Amino acid sequence: MAAEPGVGGGTEAAWALRPMRATDLDAVMAIEVRAYPFPWTRGIFDDCLRAAYPAWLLNVDGRIAGYGVLSIAAGEAHVLNVCVDPELQGRGHGRRLFRALVDIARKLGAQRVFLEVRPSNPAAVALYHAEGFNEIGRRPRYYPTHNGREDAIVMARELFDDA
């Protein structure tokens, strides 16, 4: 499955979505460690690729701008990681990438999508709400912090053929 490249009018960047490969992991890890205080390890990405989880890169103007990883089973998708390079945040790339991941989940047969998000990440929470996700619960002490642990907000969205 490949996404169509996009080119907007005016000053919008050219973009394309493509599957993540093991050879991309140096660039992915460089973004991951800049973006998160508690990043995934290279081993986690390797495991996801070996398990054939849908993992996609967003390229903008010829460079990796972001990536996302899903798991899909029994008609349900779980967004495991979605990240945009901190240098490129605030330009709509996260929304574009997230919408593409949800569309990929739908095309792969998912009827609903789940994710966890830190309450301390209001931009992500707002994006997910704007994309039709609703809070369905909390996972206590899910995320590490510098001072202990932080709950996760669990969000979900039903996928319909007309969506």
Side-chain angles (χ1 to χ4, degrees):
M1 175 181 305
E4 292 293 317
V7 179
T11 61
E12 189 172 328
W15 63 274
L17 199 67
R18 72 163 174 83
M20 184 187 297
R21 299 181 289 259
T23 56
D24 298 315
L25 291 185
D26 286 342
V28 166
M29 286 306 303
I31 294 169
E32 182 79 1
V33 298
R34 284 196 314 273
Y36 297 118
F38 301 93
W40 273 17
T41 65
R42 186 183 185 102
I44 294 171
F45 284 104
D46 277 327
D47 289 346
C48 289
L49 291 175
R50 275 198 297 275
Y53 285 179
W56 291 81
L57 297 180
L58 176 67
N59 283 300
V60 175
D61 291 335
R63 75 180 260 204
I64 296 174
Y67 48 86
V69 181
L70 301 167
S71 69
I72 300 178
E76 295 181 347
H78 195 128
V79 177
L80 301 176
N81 189 326
V82 60
C83 181
V84 170
D85 188 327
E87 296 175 9
L88 300 172
Q89 290 177 2
R91 302 178 194 178
H93 300 312
R95 183 177 307 276
R96 177 178 290 126
L97 175 59
F98 188 70
R99 284 180 176 171
L101 292 172
V102 170
D103 190 50
I104 289 164
R106 179 185 294 110
K107 289 176 181 173
L108 293 175
Q111 297 170 338
R112 68 196 52 81
V113 180
F114 296 91
L115 60 84
E116 288 88 18
V117 62
R118 290 177 183 265
S120 62
N121 188 349
V125 173
L127 170 65
Y128 302 144
H129 275 297
E131 293 299 317
F133 282 72
N134 295 300
E135 181 175 339
I136 61 167
R138 297 266 176 150
R139 293 191 196 278
R141 301 178 42 80
Y142 185 78
Y143 289 112
T145 70
H146 292 295
N147 301 328
R149 308 287 298 179
E150 177 180 13
D151 292 355
I153 299 172
V154 180
M155 301 183 84
R157 176 180 157 191
E158 299 291 323
L159 301 180
F160 302 102
D161 289 337
D162 59 351

